[in-house]
Amino acid sequence: MAGDSKAEPIVSVRDLEVGFQTMDRRATVKAVDGVSFDVRRGETFGIIGESGSGKTTIGRALVFLLKPTAGTILHNGVDPQALPRKQFQSHRRDYQIIFQDPNAALNPRMTIISSVLEPLELAGAGTKAERLARAQDAMERVGLPQELGERYPHQLSGGQKQRVIIARALTLRPKLIVCDEVVAALDMSIRGDVLNLFAELQRDLGLTYVFITHDLSVVSHISDRIAVMYLGRFVELGPTESVSGRPLHPYTQALLSAEPLPLPSTMRSDRRIILQGEMPSPIDPPSGCRFRTRCQYAQSVCAEQTPAWRELEPDHWVACHFADRPNFSPS
Ligand SMILES: Nc1ncnc2c1ncn2[C@@H]1O[C@H](COP(=O)(O)OP(=O)(O)OP(=O)(O)O)[C@@H](O)[C@H]1O
Ligand code: SF4
Ligand SMILES: [Mg+2]
């Protein structure tokens, strides 16, 4: 579902910063450093970037598993942190997060049905019979036969375990789910099935997703819009077709060109751009444009000035001094 760009956003993030103290407490890692975006109701908002770019930190902050250092996050126009504690707890149930590793998320000593029931029990939702009915309905929705309910996690396949995690999140009937690398631990052969399940659930239940991954083929398969993240900041954001078909930022261009061939032809660039070197440390990021130490187009201004966040095409934003120059794009 494309999401309604005119409706009030389900999540609205402004100037978000999240910092962590280093182990020796001498410095701060700004894992997220000034990010603003809206998530539109009913859309899948993809976030892509290399390891350590800050994707999980954003995801955790979106559902208030982490407290922002600065900036605001509104849910449906409301700041959940301003709510009284009880209301905040119940509000949080509408905004769920699912992580990569289903093994870590499932208690090995609990049966599957007990795991699916657990969030409902913690929330004190309905009667015992109603809770069981809701848990069984969630299992059915994710394609898990009821008889698996009596099994333990080690008796299930990786794909089945991830379905259990999805069912657990669904029992609380959330409005939004942050999916953090949810297919990364799965065999290639079943990734497609699980991604299709996400799409089906979105259609049936009107869900909104924030889909975090470092896998471009996954994010472009499922997302309506894609945000590209580098060293704590967004460098590009736009509709999936524009970002993948005509990437404006050199980092996005490099990510796309580095992708192996299974991508659709529209998303492949003829010229391969190899990303040189490692991402610098977020403790001491480069001045100006953070990508400049790896950018083949870098000029002196790139070290001196932080590129502005500009809407160069409808709904398509980029932070690069030269993204609007003709012949800039190598594709
Ligand atoms: N609890 C923490 N304490 C200290 N530093 C942290 C903490 N969590 C994350 N960081 C640092 O913040 C930065 C961003 O981490 P984050 O986990 O958000 O990246 P990511 O994009 O999700 O990476 P990956 O693709 O590997 O999951 C990294 O430099 C990481 O080391
Ligand atoms: S601002 Fe400069 S260094 Fe940054 S991406 Fe653009 S050209 Fe490269
Ligand atoms: Mg992560």
Side-chain angles (χ1 to χ4, degrees):
M1 203 194 288
D4 183 350
S5 60
K6 305 222 169 41
E8 178 165 22
I10 187 162
V11 174
S12 192
V13 177
R14 292 294 174 270
D15 306 315
L16 179 68
E17 290 182 21
V18 184
F20 299 107
Q21 292 252 297
T22 52
M23 293 287 266
D24 61 9
R25 298 185 165 270
R26 288 201 182 149
T28 302
V29 180
K30 275 201 178 173
V32 179
D33 191 10
V35 170
S36 299
F37 62 99
D38 288 338
V39 181
R40 299 167 185 164
R41 195 177 310 281
E43 78 169 335
T44 298
F45 184 93
I47 304 179
I48 188 162
E50 279 168 287
S51 182
S53 55
K55 307 180 296 295
T56 295
T57 306
I58 287 200
R60 292 168 68 94
L62 286 184
V63 297
F64 292 97
L65 277 182
L66 270 179
K67 211 171 153 49
T69 320
T72 55
I73 300 173
L74 303 184
H75 287 175
N76 266 330
V78 170
D79 177 2
Q81 291 189 110
L83 296 171
R85 209 176 69 89
K86 256 197 141 161
Q87 251 175 289
F88 175 67
Q89 297 298 357
S90 92
H91 173 93
R92 280 181 68 175
R93 292 181 202 124
D94 290 342
Y95 296 78
Q96 297 279 320
I97 187 163
I98 303 177
F99 294 106
Q100 163 176 354
D101 183 4
N103 290 316
L106 287 174
N107 183 335
R109 283 180 291 277
M110 275 168 81
T111 60
I112 297 305
I113 190 69
S114 311
S115 281
V116 178
L117 273 166
E118 193 182 31
L120 287 168
E121 282 167 352
L122 289 175
T127 63
K128 197 172 172 198
E130 283 164 351
R131 290 197 291 270
L132 184 62
R134 253 162 90 167
Q136 286 174 336
D137 175 60
M139 284 184 62
E140 198 178 320
R141 278 194 185 279
V142 302
L144 286 173
Q146 299 296 341
E147 59 266 25
L148 290 192
E150 296 313 315
R151 291 203 197 164
Y152 288 87
H154 74 273
Q155 296 169 312
L156 265 57
S157 71
Q160 285 171 331
K161 278 185 268 197
Q162 196 56 293
R163 284 170 192 265
V164 174
I165 299 298
I166 301 167
R168 246 174 87 97
L170 288 179
T171 54
L172 294 171
R173 299 182 180 150
K175 298 187 170 98
L176 176 138
I177 306 180
V178 176
C179 306
D180 188 357
E181 304 281 8
V182 284
V183 293
L186 303 180
D187 268 8
M188 282 306 241
S189 57
I190 53 168
R191 279 186 192 185
D193 289 348
V194 175
L195 289 175
N196 289 339
L197 171 65
F198 274 106
E200 216 177 280
L201 293 171
Q202 182 171 55
R203 264 196 316 274
D204 294 350
L205 305 174
L207 288 167
T208 305
Y209 297 132
V210 174
F211 223 90
I212 294 172
T213 172
H214 59 264
D215 186 333
L216 198 57
S217 57
V218 167
V219 83
S220 51
H221 179 83
I222 193 147
S223 306
D224 298 297
R225 290 189 298 151
I226 300 180
V228 183
M229 193 163 189
Y230 188 78
L231 209 52
R233 292 193 177 147
F234 281 1
V235 295
E236 185 158 3
L237 165 63
T240 301
E241 325 72 78
S242 335
V243 173
S244 57
R246 206 181 107 66
L248 298 173
H249 196 282
Y251 179 58
T252 316
Q253 290 163 5
L255 284 181
L256 283 161
S257 76
E259 192 67 14
L261 289 188
L263 278 177
S265 58
T266 50
M267 294 182 47
R268 276 184 243 138
S269 140
D270 293 337
R271 241 180 79 191
R272 276 180 91 77
I273 311 161
I274 307 300
L275 261 175
Q276 303 284 350
E278 302 267 301
M279 199 168 63
S281 162
I283 296 175
D284 185 22
S287 63
C289 174
R290 294 187 169 191
F291 186 56
R292 71 177 165 82
T293 53
R294 298 166 83 190
C295 179
Q296 58 174 329
Y297 305 105
Q299 307 287 318
S300 54
V301 66
C302 303
E304 291 151 15
Q305 288 173 26
T306 303
W309 185 234
R310 296 183 289 162
E311 187 177 16
L312 286 190
E313 291 172 6
D315 215 19
H316 190 163
W317 296 73
V318 64
C320 166
H321 291 304
F322 303 109
D324 50 346
R325 301 267 170 99
N327 307 321
F328 178 73
S329 163
S331 54

